[in-house]
Amino acid sequence: MGWAGTGLLWTASGGVASSITLDRAVAAPKGAVQPFSFLQVSDSHIGFTKDPNPDARATFREAVAKIKALPAKPAFILHTGDITQLSKDQEFDDADQILKEAGLTVFHVPGEHDMLDEGNGAAYLARYGKGSLGDGWYSFDHNGVHFVALVNVKALKAGGMGSLGAAQLAWLQKDLAARSSSTPIVVFTHIPLWTIYADWGWGTDDAAQAMTLLKRFGSVTVLNGHIHQVIQKVEGNVAFHTARSTAFPQPAPGQGPAPGPLKVPAGQLHSALGVRTVSLVRGGEPLAVVDASLAA
């Protein structure tokens, strides 16, 4: 079974974007993958045990096993939120132990399911927030690429749109001010930064302000989770990519009364889950992303 859709393999060596599936990367000869790569995983929902997936831990382990099998190890992993189902310590522990098997550094942003503790995200910040600001936002650089972690799930209301807030937007403006317009930017967050379906809260209400700050850069890639399916959009210099979950699918936008776990026949579950592999090479073209399901 092949994963591609939630675990995104990016390779970066100078700047034009190209991509291969994680299965193809696993099968490639050692050294065939570009020298700088990283992965995106999303919506592992550790602790979820209902239809259509009675054991989200098991499917997350399958994804990590694929990562371990890569012939060239990526530099790190980005987890774009909903690490857990209910923000319980044991769920966070289990997620950490599973990801530890990959042997890679992991950078996190929270999903709304990681903010359900009594401290409204205090458990997440205690575990993953070292060196971050505010509700957990931060940035870092790697091989000439600037990575920006944004939080848009703080105090999220059921069915409500995500929000960045004035304090985070002010920080983002300062963070980007020192960067050259030729610097490739990768933004990762949980809820999409473009409105996919407002009635379900699939968007961020003040995303336009962030996009204004990013528009001067020649290459911007925005990665998110939350909607558990692949939807892509390119708008000017910005490429948006949503990711599949490793736990369960959700319905297409508006196709049903509400978002939530989409029940599928047991034999079809792996077709709705996945990891994504992407290569990133410095240049003037948008990123190319190839997705395939776990059943590919």
Side-chain angles (χ1 to χ4, degrees):
M1 293 183 293
W3 282 81
T6 307
L8 178 50
L9 178 64
W10 301 79
T11 64
S13 173
V16 173
S18 61
S19 61
I20 57 173
T21 66
L22 188 54
D23 277 344
R24 286 176 58 196
V26 169
K30 191 171 182 65
V33 178
Q34 295 292 330
F36 165 36
S37 64
F38 67 92
L39 281 147
Q40 179 197 2
V41 298
S42 197
D43 295 88
S44 46
H45 284 275
I46 299 302
F48 183 84
T49 57
K50 301 177 181 178
D51 284 335
N53 185 359
D55 191 354
R57 289 173 175 84
T59 47
F60 195 40
R61 286 191 183 97
E62 290 183 53
V64 170
K66 286 289 185 183
I67 294 168
K68 288 176 62 178
L70 287 170
K73 291 301 180 186
F76 51 82
I77 295 171
L78 306 181
H79 195 307
T80 49
D82 280 355
I83 304 158
T84 68
Q85 180 66 11
L86 296 172
S87 305
K88 295 180 178 180
D89 286 341
Q90 187 60 58
E91 294 172 348
F92 282 121
D93 286 344
D94 289 350
D96 289 347
Q97 287 303 310
I98 293 170
L99 270 176
K100 186 178 179 181
E101 290 297 313
L104 300 171
T105 300
V106 184
F107 295 95
H108 295 87
V109 289
E112 74 277 13
H113 282 264
D114 304 316
M115 295 279 185
L116 299 178
D117 58 293
E118 291 183 358
N120 193 24
Y124 168 88
L125 283 175
R127 191 176 291 257
Y128 307 114
K130 184 179 180 180
S132 68
L133 299 172
D135 297 321
W137 55 79
Y138 59 96
S139 66
F140 65 94
D141 296 285
H142 189 88
N143 282 23
V145 179
H146 187 58
F147 292 82
V148 181
L150 297 180
V151 178
N152 54 8
V153 297
K154 186 69 173 180
L156 185 68
K157 297 179 181 179
M161 297 276 279
S163 181
L164 297 167
Q168 187 170 197
L169 287 167
W171 167 82
L172 179 63
Q173 183 175 19
K174 292 179 181 178
D175 179 75
L176 296 175
R179 312 293 165 186
S180 164
S181 296
S182 62
T183 302
I185 306 292
V186 175
V187 177
F188 60 109
T189 189
H190 183 64
I191 297 176
L193 288 183
W194 55 292
T195 301
I196 296 174
Y197 195 66
D199 288 352
W200 289 357
W202 285 5
T204 301
D205 58 14
D206 51 0
Q209 297 175 57
M211 292 302 105
T212 297
L213 298 173
L214 290 161
K215 68 180 181 180
R216 71 177 176 88
F217 294 93
S219 175
V220 179
T221 304
V222 180
L223 308 177
N224 68 268
H226 189 57
I227 71 170
H228 297 211
Q229 58 199 280
V230 174
I231 299 179
Q232 302 169 355
K233 182 179 83 161
V234 177
E235 187 174 298
N237 61 332
V238 182
F240 300 86
H241 300 279
T242 69
R244 288 189 179 100
S245 166
T246 62
F248 56 85
Q250 292 201 85
Q255 294 188 11
L262 179 65
K263 187 174 181 179
V264 295
Q268 297 179 19
L269 176 62
H270 285 74
S271 296
L273 307 179
V275 290
R276 175 189 296 150
T277 60
V278 182
S279 2
L280 171 67
V281 182
R282 190 185 305 274
E285 298 183 12
L287 295 176
V289 179
V290 176
D291 289 284
S293 72
L294 184 60

